[in-house]
Amino acid sequence: MSASYMTIEREYGSGGTAIARAASKRSGVPCFGREILEMVSREKGISVESIEQYEESAKTSLFYSLYAMQEARSGQGDMLEQDGRVFVAEQMTIERIADENRRAILLGHCAAQALAGRQGVVRVFITCSDAEAKRERIMREYDVPAERVEATRRFYDRKRANYFKVNTGHSWRDAENYDVTVDTANLDLDDCASMLAGLFG
C-alpha cells in the first residue's frame, strides 16, 4: 500500500527540510511546512513570528492539548489560553490540508497527531549522527556563524522536542513514534528524497 500522507519530524541541520522539498518535487505531492504557519497566521490574524514564539514557550500538557481540541470542536475554543489556540489552529489546518489534498507531505507541527486514525499515513524522522556534517550544513544553509552553530542547533532541537512532548506525550526522538527513520550521516540527500518519494507509489 502506498502512502497518502507523509509526516516528517527532523533534527535541525539534518537536511530534513531539503529532503522533504525534493521528495515533493520528485513525487508531485505538495509539501507544507512553514506554509502551515502562514495559513494559521492569515486565518487567526496572528503573525508567524508570534506563532513561533508560542511554539518555543509551549508549556501545557498533553491533557490540555486534548482538552483544547475537544473545546474547539464543540465551539468553545475562545475560552482557551493563547498557546492552546495556536496548537488547535495548527492541528485543524493540518486536518484541512489533508481533507483538501489527496496526498501531502507535512513538516513538523505534530502533524502525525493531527492525522492519527487516517489511513495511509507514513511517519518519518530525519536525523544526522555526524555532528560535523550537521555543523557544516547549518553554516551553509542557514548562514549561521561558526561560533553560534551549536547554540542554534540546541535551541531548535529543544524547541521541537518540547513542542512534540507537550502535545503528544511522547519523546520526539523515540523510534516507536515513526514508521521510517533516516540518518543522513552517510546518505546523499537526493537519494533520501527519492526513497521517500517512492513511498507514494
Side-chain angles (χ1 to χ4, degrees):
M1 177 178 168
S2 61
S4 296
Y5 307 103
M6 182 176 293
T7 65
I8 300 178
E9 297 287 340
R10 73 280 189 214
E11 290 180 343
Y12 188 73
S14 65
T17 300
I19 290 170
R21 299 294 181 187
S24 172
K25 186 174 182 179
R26 289 173 184 270
S27 63
V29 175
C31 180
F32 302 86
R34 188 173 178 82
E35 293 87 350
I36 295 169
L37 300 187
E38 291 169 349
M39 290 177 188
V40 172
S41 174
R42 288 193 297 270
E43 182 178 330
K44 299 299 182 183
I46 308 171
S47 71
V48 169
E49 292 72 24
S50 294
I51 296 170
E52 290 175 330
Q53 287 173 1
Y54 287 121
E55 286 189 349
E56 289 166 18
S57 59
K59 58 185 180 300
T60 54
S61 67
L62 170 61
F63 295 110
Y64 182 77
S65 296
L66 295 173
Y67 162 77
M69 289 299 295
Q70 181 180 358
E71 289 294 286
R73 289 195 167 109
S74 66
Q76 303 299 316
D78 289 344
M79 302 300 291
L80 299 173
E81 299 286 339
Q82 188 64 32
D83 55 349
R85 292 185 195 178
V86 166
F87 172 71
V88 167
E90 288 182 356
Q91 293 283 287
M92 296 186 84
T93 296
I94 291 165
E95 290 180 7
R96 188 168 68 250
I97 289 170
D99 289 340
E100 293 174 354
N101 294 271
R102 187 171 59 88
R103 302 190 298 177
I105 297 171
L106 299 133
L107 271 169
H109 310 294
C110 302
Q113 179 89 345
L115 302 185
R118 292 190 185 233
Q119 294 295 313
V121 178
V122 175
R123 303 164 301 164
V124 178
F125 186 76
I126 300 177
T127 182
C128 180
S129 60
D130 186 334
E132 186 56 33
K134 276 200 286 192
R135 176 181 174 81
E136 291 178 4
R137 189 175 290 123
I138 290 168
M139 288 190 291
R140 181 177 66 253
E141 295 184 5
Y142 301 105
D143 201 27
V144 176
E147 65 274 13
R148 294 292 305 159
V149 166
E150 187 58 21
T152 303
R153 183 195 64 76
R154 284 199 306 268
F155 170 81
Y156 281 105
D157 280 354
R158 185 167 55 244
K159 168 191 168 183
R160 293 170 181 178
N162 179 63
Y163 194 70
F164 191 89
K165 179 71 173 180
V166 160
N167 292 304
T168 71
H170 299 292
S171 174
W172 182 55
R173 287 190 171 90
D174 189 342
E176 291 187 0
N177 297 317
Y178 307 101
D179 305 301
V180 178
T181 299
V182 178
D183 186 344
T184 60
N186 297 304
L187 297 173
D188 180 80
L189 298 192
D190 283 339
D191 289 342
C192 293
S194 293
M195 182 270 291
L196 294 182
L199 295 178
F200 286 102

